[in-house]
Amino acid sequence: MVRPPPWGYNRVEPDYAAAMNLIRVIAIALAIWLIIYFVRQYLARRRIQTAARRKAVKHMVRCTACGLHVPEAEAWEKQGRYYCSRAHRDQAA
């Protein structure tokens, strides 16, 4: 016959399952936080790039022949008037 130890036969063992659940919840919360953090960083960077691209658009001018708006750097100019193509510029008399 085996006698139980005198220091606590009915001693409660620690609940490792509860501790593992707590660690799992903390790990999931950390993963969600990291995902949100990186998505927000990506979107902020993208917003800055989009704003910079919009600022890069220069002054737009209207074609005298057809009314199309084109950047001034790409427009054809003749006698102070702007045209969207060489053909429209040559049509102007």
Side-chain angles (χ1 to χ4, degrees), residues 7-16:
W7 57 83
Y9 177 68
N10 292 328
R11 192 166 148 180
V12 177
E13 292 294 321
D15 188 11
Y16 292 111

Side-chain angles (χ1 to χ4, degrees), residues 6 27 44 73 77 79 83 92:
E77 183 181 3
Q79 298 172 349
Y83 301 93

Side-chain angles (χ1 to χ4, degrees), residues 78-79 81 83 88-93:
K78 181 178 182 183
Q79 298 172 349
R81 295 183 179 196
Y83 301 93
H88 281 178
R89 182 194 66 184
D90 294 343
Q91 282 178 352

Side-chain angles (χ1 to χ4, degrees), residues 50-83:
T50 303
R53 240 184 280 131
R54 285 184 183 158
K55 287 181 182 179
V57 174
K58 299 295 180 185
H59 181 67
M60 301 290 281
V61 293
R62 186 174 182 198
C63 175
T64 306
C66 67
L68 179 72
H69 288 83
V70 293
E72 187 175 10
E74 297 177 17
W76 296 84
E77 183 181 3
K78 181 178 182 183
Q79 298 172 349
R81 295 183 179 196
Y82 294 99
Y83 301 93

